[in-house]
Amino acid sequence: MNQLLPKLQRIPPEIAAVVDYEPFARERMSAQAWAYIAGGAADELTLRDNCAAFQRLRLRSRVLRDLRGGHTRLELFGRTFDHPILLAPVAYQKLAHPDGELASALAAGTLGGGMVVSTQASIGLEEIAAQARGPLWFQLYVQHDREFTAELVRRAEAAGYQALVLTVDAPVNGVRNREQRAGFALPEDVEAVNLRGLRPLEGPADGRILLGTPLLETAPTWEDLAWLRSLTRLPLLVKGVLDAEDARQALAAGVDGIIVSNHGGRTLDGLPATIEVLEAVAQAVQGRVPLLMDGGIRRGSDVFKALALGADAVLVGRPYVFGLATAGALGVAHVLQLLRAELEVSMALTGCRTLADIQPELILR
């Protein structure tokens, strides 16, 4: 038996919920690293509303339901997961803990879940795959060097990643004022190791700020999605969809899954909370491909609400990084355990035996 599971009993009692990890994580991280992980774009309106929007939703109680044989299992792309909570791609996890992505992958596999590994991971994608105990997906940013991008896809395939997740909502970084005020810069021992060898992009010229610069002139388009689809037989998901029309266009381009996301409130401030647009995107998708979402999940009841409004599974980001910073792989595993336990309580008290029983009518309007 994996040694992580017995150690979960040693978690101090003051950590009773996912949010309890935040002060512990902040104590263990530098001010600069905390600003990077915890912060969002501009005034952080979207960052805060991702959580607040879940709190505005209420659940419908149902009683005396037959719950015998209940479980939280689901299947995605031919693989069975014990629960519908995946670890979202988060860059530079060595900022939180020396074991970085290795600890997160270990925890996800131990708890019967999956992890999406960032292009900007601080540990090589092959090393993570070699030590992982559960399914891994690889998150991809299309680089200005398309051949370098194609090589990343080949590396992920060769290493055994089971899906590609193309992030489409961040052709440029958001205005990260909290990071700027903290003077954030990567320490010397942390880098995006998977991007070693990528030729640098030329800077702005002629007084231009962003528009008309090489950064946007080489930014990915729908044509790049079609090109990427032609490169691989792996399931291809797009992450960063908030609009039903974009979802329909992605389906027409042949994607195998869609992730509703506003990048954790880190790109454009003022975007809606993901849970607020999830149902509209779900209606556009109509169950043709798996639909996932991220942003603002801090309770298992939040997972329940997302599933009720059309998601097949969810991804969590900051909560598990706070667990990572506090206690390494053990902290990540505990975050997953807490969320799953709260999800099961929500299911039991709303009369849901399986994930398929979680339906929209269980959300009070």
Side-chain angles (χ1 to χ4, degrees):
M1 183 185 214
N2 189 281
Q3 294 303 306
L4 276 182
L5 298 181
K7 291 180 180 178
L8 289 176
Q9 300 177 0
R10 304 179 191 173
I11 298 293
E14 58 264 39
I15 301 181
V18 165
V19 296
D20 295 333
Y21 271 104
E22 291 193 33
F24 287 88
R26 187 164 193 170
E27 290 176 359
R28 289 160 174 78
M29 296 173 66
S30 70
Q32 293 76 24
W34 179 260
Y36 177 79
I37 297 294
D43 298 312
E44 301 185 346
L45 303 174
T46 298
L47 171 64
R48 291 191 294 273
D49 204 39
N50 271 346
C51 295
F54 275 108
Q55 296 170 1
R56 292 192 289 268
L57 295 174
R58 296 293 179 263
L59 300 178
R60 180 184 181 193
S61 172
R62 302 304 304 274
V63 300
L64 299 177
R65 296 299 183 97
D66 185 355
L67 300 175
R68 288 174 292 185
H71 63 81
T72 61
R73 293 189 301 274
L74 78 158
E75 185 174 298
L76 292 171
F77 308 118
R79 183 72 179 250
T80 299
F81 295 76
D82 288 349
H83 55 83
I85 308 163
L86 285 75
L87 300 187
V90 177
Y92 307 122
Q93 291 186 28
K94 279 190 174 183
L95 289 172
H97 191 278
D99 294 338
E101 291 83 2
L102 294 179
S104 299
L106 171 62
T110 299
L111 271 293
M115 175 179 177
V116 186
V117 175
S118 172
T119 290
Q120 295 175 319
S122 50
I123 295 174
L125 67 91
E126 291 87 356
E127 185 178 355
I128 298 168
Q131 298 191 39
R133 302 189 178 194
L136 296 178
W137 300 353
F138 183 67
Q139 177 269 334
L140 182 70
Y141 288 111
V142 172
Q143 305 298 321
H144 59 274
D145 184 335
R146 297 304 194 259
E147 179 50 36
F148 190 96
T149 303
E151 181 58 24
L152 281 174
V153 172
R154 291 190 285 266
R155 287 175 58 189
E157 290 176 332
Y161 286 77
Q162 298 178 8
L164 290 177
V165 177
L166 176 65
T167 295
V168 296
D169 64 347
V172 298
N173 285 332
V175 177
R176 310 260 183 87
N177 292 146
R178 195 196 300 204
E179 289 179 30
Q180 293 167 339
R181 294 175 185 127
F184 173 75
L186 286 174
E188 292 183 358
D189 60 342
V190 178
E191 63 171 312
V193 296
N194 295 313
L195 298 181
R196 287 174 180 168
L198 178 65
R199 61 179 175 83
L201 192 63
E202 296 179 5
D206 304 324
R208 296 173 182 171
I209 297 175
L210 184 60
L211 296 176
T213 67
L215 182 59
L216 286 188
E217 296 300 312
T218 60
T221 67
W222 289 104
E223 292 181 357
D224 291 289
L225 177 59
W227 166 75
L228 187 60
R229 174 69 286 173
S230 72
L231 282 185
T232 181
R233 295 183 179 179
L234 289 177
L236 175 61
L237 299 89
V238 290
K239 178 178 181 292
V241 173
L242 293 173
D243 184 86
E245 183 55 38
D246 282 342
R248 284 187 282 267
Q249 192 164 351
L251 290 173
V255 302
D256 302 293
I258 291 173
I259 302 177
V260 176
S261 173
N262 57 30
H263 217 94
R266 293 171 62 82
T267 53
L268 180 60
D269 202 21
L271 291 174
T274 48
I275 193 65
E276 291 179 321
V277 299
L278 174 61
E279 195 168 21
V281 176
Q283 290 172 356
V285 172
Q286 290 289 310
R288 286 174 283 181
V289 299
L291 181 65
L292 293 81
M293 69 83 68
D294 67 14
I297 290 171
R298 298 295 183 270
R299 289 282 186 179
S301 56
D302 296 337
V303 179
F304 183 97
K305 292 170 184 176
L307 300 184
L309 294 179
D312 296 294
V314 303
L315 300 93
V316 295
R318 290 182 183 87
Y320 85 83
V321 179
F322 297 153
L324 174 67
T326 303
L330 180 62
V332 179
H334 189 223
V335 166
L336 289 171
Q337 184 193 52
L338 287 170
L339 291 173
R340 180 177 174 183
E342 292 172 354
L343 169 62
E344 292 193 14
V345 168
S346 299
M347 292 173 63
L349 297 179
T350 55
C352 297
R353 188 177 63 86
T354 70
L355 301 182
D357 297 324
I358 304 175
Q359 296 296 319
E361 56 265 25
L362 293 173
I363 302 292
L364 293 177
R365 306 293 177 167

